[in-house]
Amino acid sequence: MKHLILIIAFLYSTLGLSQELAVLKYKGGGDWYSNPTALPNLINFCNNNINTRINPNPQTVEVGSIDIFQYPLLHMTGHGNVFFSDEDAENLRNYLISGGFLHIDDNYGMRPYVTEELKKVFPNAELIELPKTHDIFNIAYKFPDGLPKIHEHDGKRPQAFGIFYESRLVLLFTFESDLGDGWEDPEVHNDPPEVREKSLKMGANIVKYAFEN
């Protein structure tokens, strides 16, 4: 089953079929559905700028569903509590070690919950801060300073954390950046065009990295 998802993604690309992305629906009461315009806008940007063929309508999939194996990249966001049952954690782990990729974007307030729940998924792994030289900051667009700052929140520096499995980055957690807000329709947060462009370019890097690694 190892790298099954990568093989499926390769076949989709070779056959010229559209790929699929999904928003991850989780339990715990957090607003997993926040930033509804974010992923469609990111997909549109990627299809127009980095030669992807992604279905413009992202799906929604639950953590414990076998349907997650259809998607090379899952996106997760929210503001509040996150809870994974043991079955959710096992399913997510199997997805990630089979070639899947999860991007968790902290929309504000997720970090303590995410950190705790990820221990169920990878009990022996820690979230490790990625250096600004990591490929994910350079694969399509160059970010010499690493993860860009999109929204201030607590005024802390933006940080990108990862979990690795057999040397492959399988999970990215972006903190104090709020990329998803930058992907949303311009009138939602009134971000300047240059800020939105920065956010979309970083998102494109994540998509390209997830599809190719």
Side-chain angles (χ1 to χ4, degrees), residues 108-129:
Y108 192 64
M110 290 182 77
R111 185 174 182 176
Y113 308 107
V114 164
T115 302
E116 193 64 28
E117 294 308 292
L118 288 178
K119 291 177 183 176
K120 298 176 183 177
V121 183
F122 289 104
N124 299 315
E126 297 287 337
L127 284 165
I128 300 170
E129 185 169 3

Side-chain angles (χ1 to χ4, degrees), residues 116-189:
E116 193 64 28
E117 294 308 292
L118 288 178
K119 291 177 183 176
K120 298 176 183 177
V121 183
F122 289 104
N124 299 315
E126 297 287 337
L127 284 165
I128 300 170
E129 185 169 3
L130 302 182
K132 58 188 178 183
T133 54
H134 192 276
D135 285 349
I136 206 164
F137 301 121
N138 300 281
I139 193 166
Y141 299 99
K142 304 297 182 183
F143 288 88
D145 296 323
L147 186 68
K149 184 77 168 173
I150 305 304
H151 280 191
E152 283 303 316
H153 291 316
D154 290 331
K156 298 176 182 176
R157 68 181 179 90
Q159 293 177 277
F161 299 95
I163 287 180
F164 292 81
Y165 177 79
E166 295 185 348
S167 301
R168 183 176 74 90
L169 179 66
V170 298
L171 183 148
L172 174 70
F173 175 53
T174 46
F175 175 69
E176 275 290 323
S177 170
D178 210 339
L179 294 172
D181 277 9
W183 302 342
E184 286 224 85
D185 288 347
E187 62 274 13
V188 176
H189 299 288

Side-chain angles (χ1 to χ4, degrees), residues 47-125:
N47 287 346
N48 289 330
N49 291 279
I50 62 168
N51 300 315
T52 51
R53 296 187 186 92
I54 306 171
N55 185 327
N57 301 306
Q59 305 301 305
T60 297
V61 64
E62 296 190 14
V63 185
S65 171
I66 60 170
D67 291 342
I68 64 174
F69 290 86
Q70 299 177 31
Y71 308 101
L73 171 60
L74 300 174
H75 174 71
M76 176 177 166
T77 192
H79 294 84
N81 189 32
V82 176
F83 173 77
F84 296 153
S85 68
D86 290 342
E87 292 77 13
D88 291 341
E90 181 180 9
N91 196 52
L92 185 55
R93 173 183 167 82
N94 287 336
Y95 164 80
L96 294 172
I97 68 177
S98 300
F101 190 94
L102 174 61
H103 172 220
I104 306 174
D105 188 45
D106 191 338
N107 208 350
Y108 192 64
M110 290 182 77
R111 185 174 182 176
Y113 308 107
V114 164
T115 302
E116 193 64 28
E117 294 308 292
L118 288 178
K119 291 177 183 176
K120 298 176 183 177
V121 183
F122 289 104
N124 299 315

